[in-house]
Amino acid sequence: MLLRVENLHKRYGKEEVLRGVSFSLEKGETKVIIGPSGTGKSTLLRCINRLTEPDRGRVFLEDVEITSPRVNINKIRAQIGFVFQDFNLFTHLTALDNVRLGLIRVKGLSKREATQRALQELARVGLADKAKAYPAELSGGQQQRVSIARALAMDPKLILFDEPTSALDPELIGEVLSVMVELAKSGMTMLVVTHEMGFARSVADEIIFMEKGVIVEQGPPEQLFKRPQHPRTAEFLRRITELYGGEG
Amino acid sequence: MRNMGVAVAVVLLCWAGLAAEKFIVGSDIAWPPFEWVSAKGDYLGFDLDVMRMIAVLEGYEIEIQAIAFDSIIPAVIAGQIDIGASGFTITAERAQVVDFSSPYWVSDQMVLVRADSGLNIITALMPGKKVGAQRGTTGAFWVEDNLIAQGVAVELVLYETYPEAIMDLLAGRIHAVIQDQAPSEQAVRQYPGQLLIAGIIKTYEEFGFLVAKGDPKKILPRIERGMQKLRETGAWDNLVSAYFGNPLEVIEAAWEACISILTVERDPVRYAACLAAKVQELRK
Amino acid sequence: MALEHWLKVWASLPVLLQGLSVNLALLGGLLSLGFVLGIVFAVLEVYGPRPLRFFASLYSWLFRSIPEILLLLLVWLGPSRFGKPITGFTAAVIALGLRSSAYQAQIFRGALQAVPAGQMLAARALGLSKLQAVRHVLLPQAFRLSLAGWGNEFAVVLKDTTLAYAVGVVEVMFHARSLGAREMPLTLPAYITVALLFLGLTYAGLSLLGVVEKKLRIPGLEARR
């Protein structure tokens, strides 16, 4: 088992955002988390690499407890890629330097090795020719692909995607999704929060439906989309189809 | 031989130790003829030469440091400098925080007006008149104590430096400037026909050199002894005749011609004689 | 202000320029000290643990509140009370440098806070430590954002260097005053000449900063100002 999440709780003031979430992820698996906005999906992702500290519960990466206070969290984070909704590319760095920064500063690669590695990853997301461009000179879709390359370059054990296409214009979503599909096919372990039901259906090994800080239902896409066990799941799927159009 | 060498070294060290006894003299070098910077950039003036001459007579070194007037007493108190020599009037207030030498100069205050103003010492200091003075000087205190505090409603305008007050007087922004005698005379000489001495106020202010309270480095006795020697040998009178009542260029030229007698030959008496004679010669 | 007076002041230009070089040395020293401390305190104030954050804002407040002249005298005279006298020049660099650091800290703090929070998150998510994130991601952006404010600070402290005469530093204003003290009609020409020198210096400094700003310009970064 690559990732194990046990009974995570997180509260912001009065509001309990996570109310005991548990699941696990095998190596090479892609799981997609769906659910209405404000149900704690993003918080869950951030609790996994402790960008947000959970109040209670434990997270294991392989056999290491990430949530242990003794763990060197920077070392752990270097093994977990994170792709943000609004990309968060480093504004003052070129695409190449965005990808290189972690390689040099965290992994301790030489500049030459890092450059080589970074160019490979940029090529993998189809942006080798944009290495010298600054984020502001790239489209949203290109920026998100650079940010995926930045995560990939670190050679992570798993990548967390936090609504990677939500900030994109519709015509730019496709290029990002196709990169993600390729990734999943290549055997990368991925945990994806998204509203892209088409992607969820075709790529996910399992889908997790979350609402109000708990997992309501999880299972293979076929089961969840065709025979949801829970009325809340059915209701959500009906509304999301209305909103985003018919899928598959 | 070797022992001899050691002995010489020890003697040299002791001598160096003695020679290294050095006092720092603080002065606001912008108040001729007591202290000013010559056209060549040298620090000269009556106060500074007295300090230099006494140092030679009493066998110590001095370093003259230019410091803003207001900072000198705090610096002496803190021990940053050893002697204040900047035309300080001896006052009870100052004497509470520093120790003064015996008086070396007596000055009165002078009131200057514009030559075309038609003002005299009475009309220049009437209520409603604007009187300029340098901040922190006895002239300014005199106006506060003897006019304003007595109900004579003149308006006192304070300046960081004396020349700035004179500028404003010439520009017509104030009616009169009050300042010590010697610098006032200097100003009149530099603006011939434009400034007038409206009158002298007999304040009988005594100037003194000052050191830290309690004189921890025992400097005052040496200054007193030095001044006495200067007076006995006539050097003092020569210095006074050279520095007061003469154009600054003349004093500067004479100083340059004679100063090596003091600094190289270390003969204060002959230096003062040279200075006085040279000034006389140049004025002709 | 007759021509002869101007000519005399211009004849003394070498002396004034020599004095100005002292002001420039002071400026270099105090800006460097202020820069280093300013960054440290800005980072502490934005990212430090709570007690340090409090200390940093206290520091900023303190050194912005004390009148400059008083600070100069305190730094100059304080050590000699304990038998460790320092020169007026050192005192001026320290006093004016500390003061400038308080202002520079505010400039950098504002710039750091103007960098979107996502930048820090992304850096931490990569595995960079907080310090690394500040050093490699936040500060490079903040510097560019703070150049305008920093230029302002440069122009202010350049003029502040003339205060150093209070602690016995023989700088350009001392020489200008000396000219006027020796020959009063030179007072205004000397002051005007010094003013022109400072105008020139400020202009040169700000132009240089402009060049630096252009050199460092990055698309998308200046737009947020």
Side-chain angles (χ1 to χ4, degrees):
Chain A
M1 209 173 292
L2 186 81
L3 179 77
R4 198 165 86 241
V5 173
E6 281 180 4
N7 196 25
L8 274 189
H9 283 76
K10 179 70 189 177
R11 161 191 295 281
Y12 288 116
K14 272 195 173 156
E15 198 184 351
E16 196 164 20
V17 186
L18 296 179
R19 301 186 294 158
V21 176
S22 306
F23 66 92
S24 63
L25 207 56
E26 297 292 342
K27 189 168 169 11
E29 226 183 352
T30 295
K31 281 198 180 176
V32 169
I33 305 175
I34 60 172
S37 316
T39 42
K41 303 180 306 263
S42 292
T43 306
L44 173 62
L45 285 197
R46 288 183 185 197
C47 281
I48 288 172
N49 71 351
R50 282 174 57 194
L51 284 180
T52 297
E53 288 292 343
D55 297 335
R56 202 140 55 86
R58 301 197 293 177
V59 179
F60 293 87
L61 183 69
E62 292 175 329
D63 291 330
V64 182
E65 190 196 335
I66 301 176
T67 38
S68 154
R70 280 187 304 278
V71 88
N72 179 347
I73 191 62
N74 295 326
K75 282 229 173 81
I76 300 290
R77 285 184 186 142
Q79 303 171 43
I80 303 178
F82 201 108
V83 175
F84 294 87
Q85 179 176 345
D86 36 15
F87 336 131
N88 289 341
L89 287 183
F90 305 127
T91 322
H92 65 301
L93 298 178
T94 59
L96 178 65
D97 282 329
N98 262 280
V99 182
R100 273 200 307 202
L101 184 69
L103 293 173
I104 296 172
R105 300 294 165 193
V106 180
K107 299 205 109 175
L109 263 60
S110 73
K111 199 166 179 185
R112 210 171 50 83
E113 291 170 313
T115 307
Q116 209 175 4
R117 185 71 210 268
L119 287 172
Q120 270 172 23
E121 297 303 340
L122 283 172
R124 188 165 164 189
V125 298
L127 289 172
D129 56 329
K130 296 288 184 188
K132 289 259 167 9
Y134 285 100
E137 297 167 332
L138 299 171
S139 74
Q142 290 171 329
Q143 288 191 54
Q144 194 59 297
R145 281 148 67 196
V146 173
S147 100
I148 293 172
R150 176 172 70 178
L152 278 174
M154 299 295 284
D155 198 12
K157 291 183 170 146
L158 107 121
I159 302 184
L160 309 173
F161 291 83
D162 187 5
E163 302 200 27
T165 56
S166 295
L168 296 176
D169 291 336
E171 72 271 19
L172 300 176
I173 292 175
E175 59 187 86
V176 172
L177 286 182
S178 65
V179 166
M180 291 171 65
V181 171
E182 284 307 309
L183 257 173
K185 275 189 197 153
S186 74
M188 175 57 71
T189 315
M190 296 162 56
L191 185 60
V192 185
V193 171
T194 187
H195 294 297
E196 293 296 328
M197 293 305 141
F199 174 83
R201 208 161 189 174
S202 57
V203 180
D205 297 302
E206 197 171 79
I207 292 182
I208 297 172
F209 173 62
M210 262 182 81
E211 196 180 47
K212 291 180 181 147
V214 290
I215 293 177
V216 177
E217 181 173 354
Q218 56 184 320
E222 276 309 292
Q223 178 196 318
L224 217 86
F225 281 102
K226 295 270 165 58
R227 301 177 300 278
Q229 305 292 299
H230 202 283
R232 297 289 312 150
T233 316
E235 166 71 10
F236 172 75
L237 285 171
R238 190 180 58 73
R239 272 196 287 133
I240 200 101
T241 328
E242 273 171 16
L243 212 62
Y244 290 86
E247 301 281 356
Chain B
M1 261 334 258
R2 182 176 290 176
N3 281 344
M4 183 91 147
V6 171
V8 169
V10 168
V11 168
L12 277 175
L13 271 176
C14 292
W15 184 73
L18 283 176
E21 186 188 23
K22 186 163 110 180
F23 298 128
I24 297 175
V25 177
S27 183
D28 191 0
I29 310 184
W31 208 56
F34 288 91
E35 43 267 332
W36 81 96
V37 182
S38 76
K40 291 252 172 80
D42 293 309
Y43 294 170
L44 42 80
F46 182 79
D47 284 342
L48 304 183
D49 268 1
V50 167
M51 283 290 111
R52 289 183 179 117
M53 290 159 85
I54 293 176
V56 169
L57 288 172
E58 289 296 310
Y60 56 81
E61 298 284 321
I62 59 167
E63 180 192 320
I64 293 169
Q65 219 178 71
I67 307 173
F69 190 75
D70 279 347
S71 305
I72 294 175
I73 289 182
V76 166
I77 293 171
Q80 183 79 30
I81 60 177
D82 302 304
I83 306 170
S86 204
F88 277 103
T89 301
I90 302 171
T91 65
E93 229 175 1
R94 286 172 178 161
Q96 282 176 357
V97 291
V98 291
D99 280 359
F100 278 100
S101 70
S102 60
Y104 67 87
W105 191 260
V106 177
S107 173
D108 292 318
Q109 294 290 314
M110 240 176 206
V111 177
L112 296 189
V113 293
R114 273 192 314 283
D116 58 9
S117 67
L119 294 169
N120 60 40
I121 185 83
I122 306 296
T123 52
L125 302 180
M126 288 215 301
K129 289 287 187 288
K130 289 183 177 173
V131 181
Q134 186 183 352
R135 188 187 308 280
T137 58
T138 43
F141 296 143
W142 187 87
V143 173
E144 281 172 358
D145 296 344
N146 295 288
L147 296 179
I148 296 169
Q150 307 298 321
V152 183
V154 298
E155 188 182 329
L156 178 61
V157 185
L158 294 174
Y159 297 88
E160 288 308 317
T161 67
Y162 178 47
E164 287 165 17
I166 293 294
M167 292 298 114
D168 259 12
L169 177 63
L170 288 168
R173 276 188 287 273
I174 53 178
H175 298 101
V177 170
I178 184 165
Q179 174 64 284
D180 284 70
Q181 208 165 343
S184 297
E185 284 165 352
Q186 204 72 48
V188 172
R189 256 198 300 282
Q190 290 181 349
Y191 290 100
Q194 295 184 58
L195 293 177
L196 210 65
I197 298 170
I200 296 175
I201 297 166
K202 287 278 174 194
T203 49
Y204 201 75
E205 289 157 46
E206 297 173 325
F207 289 3
F209 302 112
L210 57 85
V211 298
K213 194 86 198 148
D215 193 13
K217 294 192 178 174
K218 301 280 169 264
I219 306 171
L220 279 185
R222 301 169 85 168
I223 290 179
E224 298 295 347
R225 211 159 45 226
M227 284 202 288
Q228 199 179 341
K229 283 181 199 164
L230 289 177
R231 289 203 177 91
E232 284 165 358
T233 54
W236 188 273
D237 289 339
N238 277 334
L239 206 61
V240 170
S241 86
Y243 269 110
F244 292 92
N246 296 307
L248 298 181
E249 308 86 68
V250 168
I251 306 174
E252 286 173 13
W255 188 85
E256 249 176 73
C258 301
I259 189 65
S260 69
I261 301 175
L262 181 62
T263 54
V264 180
E265 298 171 40
R266 303 183 76 78
D267 187 342
V269 178
R270 215 152 56 70
Y271 163 69
C274 171
L275 197 67
K278 201 81 188 167
V279 166
Q280 279 306 312
E281 182 192 321
L282 288 169
R283 285 214 68 171
K284 273 180 199 149
Chain C
M1 280 197 288
L3 184 61
E4 59 164 318
H5 301 138
W6 280 101
L7 291 178
K8 278 182 178 170
V9 169
W10 289 339
S12 299
L13 207 55
V15 179
L16 291 177
L17 287 176
Q18 195 262 321
L20 199 63
S21 73
V22 175
N23 292 71
L24 282 178
L26 265 179
L27 179 76
L30 83 92
L31 274 181
S32 312
L33 180 66
F35 183 77
V36 172
L37 288 180
I39 288 173
V40 169
F41 280 99
V43 169
L44 283 184
E45 204 172 333
V46 181
Y47 300 109
R50 198 165 290 274
L52 279 181
R53 231 182 278 181
F54 174 74
F55 174 71
S57 45
L58 187 75
Y59 173 91
S60 262
W61 170 78
L62 190 73
F63 282 104
R64 285 185 298 160
S65 305
I66 303 178
E68 280 164 309
I69 281 287
L70 193 62
L71 195 60
L72 269 170
L73 287 173
L74 285 176
V75 172
W76 186 46
L77 299 178
S80 53
R81 289 233 87 159
F82 302 100
K84 295 250 175 281
I86 56 174
T87 66
F89 185 87
T90 311
V93 166
I94 294 174
L96 297 176
L98 289 178
R99 187 181 146 83
S100 179
S101 76
Y103 281 96
Q104 291 191 45
Q106 291 310 302
I107 294 170
F108 294 135
R109 181 182 62 90
L112 279 171
Q113 286 170 338
V115 177
Q119 297 287 308
M120 178 61 124
L121 274 183
R124 297 307 308 273
L126 270 181
L128 270 73
S129 69
K130 203 169 184 177
L131 203 65
Q132 281 180 313
V134 168
R135 156 111 170 63
H136 298 293
V137 177
L138 278 300
L139 279 179
Q141 298 189 33
F143 280 148
R144 290 178 172 86
L145 294 176
S146 59
L147 273 173
W150 203 81
N152 196 33
E153 173 67 7
F154 155 80
V156 171
V157 294
L158 174 61
K159 285 172 279 176
D160 285 355
T161 57
T162 58
L163 295 172
Y165 179 55
V167 296
V169 176
V170 175
E171 45 71 63
V172 68
M173 270 310 284
F174 167 76
H175 290 300
R177 267 194 295 263
S178 297
L179 288 177
R182 182 177 175 277
E183 199 173 341
M184 282 183 208
L186 302 193
T187 306
L188 269 186
Y191 283 9
I192 291 172
T193 304
V194 171
L196 289 175
L197 289 175
F198 272 96
L199 266 172
L201 269 184
T202 307
Y203 179 77
L206 291 181
S207 307
L208 190 72
L209 268 178
V211 171
V212 170
E213 202 170 351
K214 220 169 244 163
K215 263 235 147 73
L216 294 179
R217 183 160 294 163
I218 282 171
L221 202 69
E222 71 273 29
R224 245 186 266 121
R225 190 176 295 160

